[in-house]
Amino acid sequence: TLGSLCLPILLFFFLPEPAQKCKTGPVDLVFLIDSSRSVRPHEFETMRKFMIDIINTLDIGLNATRVGVVQYSSQVRTEFTLKTHARLSNIVKAINQIIPLAQGTMTGLAIRYMMNEAFTPEAGDRPKVPNVAVIVTDGRPQDRVAEVAAEAREKGIEIYAVGVARADMTSLRAMASPPFEDHVFLVESFDLIHQFGIQFQDKLCAIDLCAERKHNCEQICVSSPGSFTCDCNKGYKLNNDKRTCSMIDYCSFGNHSCDHECVSVLNGYRCRCNEGYRLLEDSKTCQDMNMCNTVEHGCEYQCVSTPGSYHCICPEGQLLQDDGKSCGTCKSANIDLVLLIDGSKSVRPQNFELVKKFVNQVVDSLDVSAHGTRVGLVQYSSRVRTEFPLNMYHTADEIKAAVMKVDYMEKGTMTGLALKHMLENSFSEAEGARPLSRNIPRIGLVFTDGRSQDDITEYAKKAKEAGINMYAVGVGKAVEDELREIASEPVEKHFYYTTDFTAISTIAENLKLNVCPEESQGEIEVKNPCACESLVEFQQATMNSLEQLTQKHIL
C-alpha cells in the first residue's frame, strides 16, 4: 500500500525526457492554479504532474520559453516568477515544493494579480514575446471574472481556461481567449486532465509560422502558439490589414507649430520653409530672404526681391531689355501687352469701331514680332472672350487686321471678371506669355466706358502683385476711382480719361509717353484744361520755368 501511494510522487520526479523539444519561438508562460479547499490533496498532485508534463515538452531558457507559477484561493501567491528559473530541472523542483493554500476561490482577484504582477518586466516578462496564461480551476469563482479577464486579454495575454469536475463552463468562457473551442477545456476529473495537456502541447508546439516565413508581415512577426501577430518598427504603425506598416504622420497631430510646412520623418517631424525663405534657429519660424542682397543681380536700375527669386526694373519711360538687366526704349525693348476692351451695350456699335482704331494706334507704336513685342486682345461685357492670345500673330499688320474683324459683344460690364481672366489666362505661357525668368515686361491695358458691375479690387491688386504693369483708360461714364484702382503706380502716369470717344485717339498718342517715350509725337493733355488740377499743374510749371530763367540770368 505504501508503495502504491509513493509511486505517483516518484513519477513526478523521474519523468522521462521527451524525444524532441518544442521548437517554437520564445513564450512567457504563467500557470494560474486553483488551490482552494475543494481541491483534494491527490487532485493537487495530479495538477503538479499536468504542469510538469507540459513544460517537459518545451524549450526552457531565459532566451527561449520562460515559466512562472501563481497559485490562488482566497489569497494569491507567486510561487516563482518568469525570471526565477532558467533550467527545466529547477522548475520541476519548484513545482514539487508548492504547498496548497486550501481556502476559497477568488479567481478574479488571481487574474488581476497575474496581469499586474506576473506579466511585468520586473517579474521577467519580455517585450514583443507572447504572453500565455493557463488557468486551472475546479469550482465556480467567488468573485467577478469577466471584466478583469477582458482587461487581461486587451493587454495581449492569451488565456487558456481548464475546468475540472465542478468547474462552471460560463465562467471558463468568460475567462478564456477566443475562439473558445481552442481555449476552453472541461474534464470530468483531475485524472483526465492529461488529455488537455496533450492538446495544449500540440497547440504550443505548432509550427513557428514566423520562423517558417509564412506570415506576410511587412516588418516584424511575433510568434504565438500555433499562430502569429504582426508588429512594426519604432516610428511606424500597423495598418488596418494587420500586416503592413506605415510611418507615423506626426504632422497630422496638429501640434507642430511650423511657420510654413511640416514634414513627417521617422520618429518625429521637421519644419520646412517655402522657397525664398530660411528656417530660423527655433527650427519653426521662416524668414524672407531678400535675394537682391544675396546675389550678384546686375540690374542696371533697381533689383526687386520676390519669394525665392528677384527681377530687375527700369525707371519710368524705359523698359527692360532681353538680358533682363539693362534698360532701354520701346524699339529696343520687348513687352507682352494684353488689351482688355469694354464691349458692353453702353459703348454702342459706332463707338466700338473707334475703340478698335484706338487699339490699332497703340499697335502702330510698338515693335511687334515673335521675338519682340507680343499683343493679345480680350473683349468683355457680361462675359469674357479672348479675341486672340499673345502667341497668335507676329506682325502689326496681322494684329490690326484681326482687330478690325472683332465683333461687338454688347450686354453688361464685368471688369473684375475680365481682370481675373487676364491674370489667369492671358498672361499664361500656354497663351504666349514669355516665362517670368526672361524678365519680359507684362503690360495690361483696360479700356472701359462705365462702372463695373462686379468687384474689381481683388484682381486689380493681384494683377499688380503679379508684376503686371496696369494702365487704365476711361471714357464717358467711366468711374475715376475704379480707373485709379486698376492703374499701377504712379497712378497719374497710368490713368487716362476723356469725356468722349472721339478724343481717344489723342489718348493713344499720349500713351506713347509711358510705353515708348522716344517715339512720342509730343505730349498732349487730354484732361479738362479748366479743371482745378490742370490749373495747379500749369501754375507749378510756370513757376518752375521762371525760376530756371532767373537762375540762368544770375549766372
Side-chain angles (χ1 to χ4, degrees):
T1 304
L2 182 60
S4 62
L5 289 173
C6 293
L7 182 60
I9 298 174
L10 292 172
L11 286 172
F12 305 145
F13 286 96
F14 301 103
L15 286 169
E17 193 74 13
Q20 185 177 357
K21 291 288 185 181
C22 181
K23 293 294 183 182
T24 64
V27 175
D28 288 339
L29 172 64
V30 172
F31 290 97
L32 187 61
I33 56 173
D34 179 357
S35 64
S36 59
R37 66 174 64 93
S38 61
V39 179
R40 299 176 180 88
H42 74 277
E43 293 175 337
F44 194 80
E45 298 305 326
T46 306
M47 200 181 302
R48 284 191 219 267
K49 182 179 185 303
F50 161 72
M51 289 189 287
I52 294 171
D53 283 347
I54 288 176
I55 63 172
N56 260 306
T57 66
L58 304 178
D59 185 17
I60 301 296
L62 291 179
N63 295 322
T65 296
R66 296 184 182 184
V67 178
V69 175
V70 175
Q71 70 158 318
Y72 73 95
S73 60
S74 297
Q75 57 182 308
V76 187
R77 186 171 70 199
T78 297
E79 297 301 332
F80 54 89
T81 67
L82 290 166
K83 68 177 182 181
T84 304
H85 301 299
R87 298 177 60 185
L88 174 62
S89 59
N90 293 338
I91 294 175
V92 172
K93 182 179 179 181
I95 290 174
N96 282 310
Q97 290 175 346
I98 295 173
I99 299 173
L101 294 169
Q103 296 172 0
T105 311
M106 301 295 286
T107 310
L109 177 67
I111 294 173
R112 183 167 297 282
Y113 179 90
M114 173 191 71
M115 177 174 60
N116 294 335
E117 301 293 335
F119 285 112
T120 62
E122 295 76 18
D125 180 52
R126 293 165 290 181
K128 298 189 182 300
V129 171
N131 291 340
V132 178
V134 178
I135 303 174
V136 184
T137 180
D138 82 325
R140 185 187 299 273
Q142 294 174 341
D143 57 354
R144 299 174 66 88
V145 298
E147 293 83 357
V148 67
E151 189 177 341
R153 294 193 299 269
E154 280 293 317
K155 288 193 171 184
I157 302 174
E158 185 175 7
I159 300 176
Y160 290 84
V162 183
V164 183
R166 300 164 295 277
D168 175 53
M169 176 58 80
T170 301
S171 299
L172 295 175
R173 293 170 68 91
M175 292 186 281
S177 298
F180 296 137
E181 59 268 21
D182 292 336
H183 292 82
V184 177
F185 298 87
L186 182 61
V187 295
E188 294 179 0
S189 68
F190 278 94
D191 294 334
L192 300 174
I193 198 172
H194 70 279
Q195 294 178 357
F196 165 73
I198 296 170
Q199 295 179 51
F200 183 72
Q201 290 168 23
D202 290 341
K203 293 189 177 300
L204 208 59
C205 294
I207 295 172
D208 185 345
L209 298 177
C210 291
E212 295 286 329
R213 298 186 179 276
K214 296 179 179 179
H215 50 78
N216 295 324
C217 295
E218 183 177 4
Q219 292 186 359
I220 298 172
C221 178
V222 181
S223 182
S224 59
S227 185
F228 68 91
T229 56
C230 296
D231 203 349
C232 299
N233 297 325
K234 186 179 179 182
Y236 292 84
K237 63 178 181 178
L238 199 62
N239 295 327
N240 292 334
D241 61 7
K242 302 300 182 185
R243 293 284 188 275
T244 59
C245 301
S246 57
M247 192 171 72
I248 297 172
D249 183 6
Y250 288 91
C251 292
S252 65
F253 298 161
N255 58 353
H256 52 76
S257 303
C258 292
D259 211 3
H260 282 178
E261 184 181 359
C262 176
V263 181
S264 284
V265 296
L266 190 59
N267 297 318
Y269 68 90
R270 63 179 177 85
C271 296
R272 183 166 66 192
C273 296
N274 296 334
E275 190 175 1
Y277 293 80
R278 66 184 183 92
L279 197 62
L280 299 184
E281 290 182 359
D282 64 3
S283 298
K284 294 183 178 180
T285 307
C286 297
Q287 185 180 66
D288 187 5
M289 293 190 300
N290 189 327
M291 297 292 286
C292 292
N293 296 333
T294 59
V295 298
E296 292 292 336
H297 53 77
C299 295
E300 179 182 326
Y301 177 69
Q302 184 179 342
C303 174
V304 177
S305 183
T306 58
S309 185
Y310 70 92
H311 63 268
C312 301
I313 61 171
C314 293
E316 187 67 32
Q318 294 189 42
L319 293 173
L320 204 61
Q321 300 299 291
D322 279 343
D323 62 4
K325 297 178 180 180
S326 57
C327 302
T329 59
C330 186
K331 285 295 182 181
S332 59
N334 303 324
I335 62 172
D336 286 341
L337 170 66
V338 174
L339 298 104
L340 301 182
I341 59 173
D342 183 351
S344 61
K345 62 184 176 184
S346 60
V347 174
R348 300 185 181 174
Q350 63 273 25
N351 289 334
F352 190 71
E353 293 303 311
L354 295 176
V355 172
K356 292 196 285 186
K357 289 181 179 178
F358 163 81
V359 171
N360 282 347
Q361 275 186 276
V362 173
V363 172
D364 280 334
S365 69
L366 305 172
D367 184 17
V368 177
S369 69
H371 301 290
T373 291
R374 297 181 181 181
V375 179
L377 181 65
V378 174
Q379 183 184 176
Y380 71 95
S381 58
S382 298
R383 57 190 178 89
V384 183
R385 183 173 73 202
T386 297
E387 300 297 348
F388 52 84
L390 288 165
N391 56 3
M392 181 167 285
Y393 301 116
H394 303 309
T395 67
D397 288 341
E398 288 177 328
I399 293 172
K400 289 163 66 177
V403 168
M404 297 312 294
K405 292 177 182 177
V406 170
D407 292 327
Y408 177 39
M409 292 174 72
E410 299 190 68
K411 299 190 178 178
T413 310
M414 303 293 281
T415 311
L417 184 64
L419 289 168
K420 181 176 186 291
H421 180 89
M422 175 197 72
L423 176 64
E424 295 179 353
N425 298 286
S426 302
F427 280 111
S428 67
E429 291 185 32
E431 293 202 2
R434 283 161 285 195
L436 289 171
S437 59
R438 291 188 56 186
N439 293 309
I440 303 295
R442 295 181 172 184
I443 296 178
L445 190 152
V446 179
F447 185 100
T448 182
D449 85 321
R451 179 185 294 275
S452 176
Q453 294 173 341
D454 62 350
D455 181 56
I456 66 165
T457 303
E458 178 183 359
Y459 284 96
K461 182 181 177 184
K462 284 185 176 180
K464 288 178 281 188
E465 287 176 347
I468 301 171
N469 195 16
M470 295 299 300
Y471 288 81
V473 178
V475 181
K477 296 180 180 180
V479 179
E480 182 176 341
D481 288 345
E482 287 189 353
L483 297 174
R484 287 179 173 273
E485 190 166 2
I486 293 170
S488 293
E489 294 289 343
V491 172
E492 300 304 325
K493 301 267 188 183
H494 294 80
F495 149 66
Y496 300 86
Y497 174 79
T498 183
T499 56
D500 144 5
F501 276 89
T502 57
I504 61 176
S505 62
T506 58
I507 289 180
E509 291 294 328
N510 199 39
L511 191 63
K512 290 183 182 180
L513 294 174
N514 290 336
V515 178
C516 307
E518 293 183 6
E519 298 297 315
S520 173
Q521 299 301 312
E523 183 172 343
I524 299 175
E525 178 60 67
V526 295
K527 295 184 180 180
N528 185 351
C530 296
C532 179
E533 181 181 351
S534 299
L535 292 173
V536 171
E537 289 179 357
F538 174 75
Q539 182 182 13
Q540 187 63 48
T542 303
M543 294 296 292
N544 289 340
S545 298
L546 289 173
E547 185 178 350
Q548 291 173 4
L549 288 170
T550 302
Q551 290 177 348
K552 182 177 180 182
H553 178 72
I554 292 172
L555 291 172

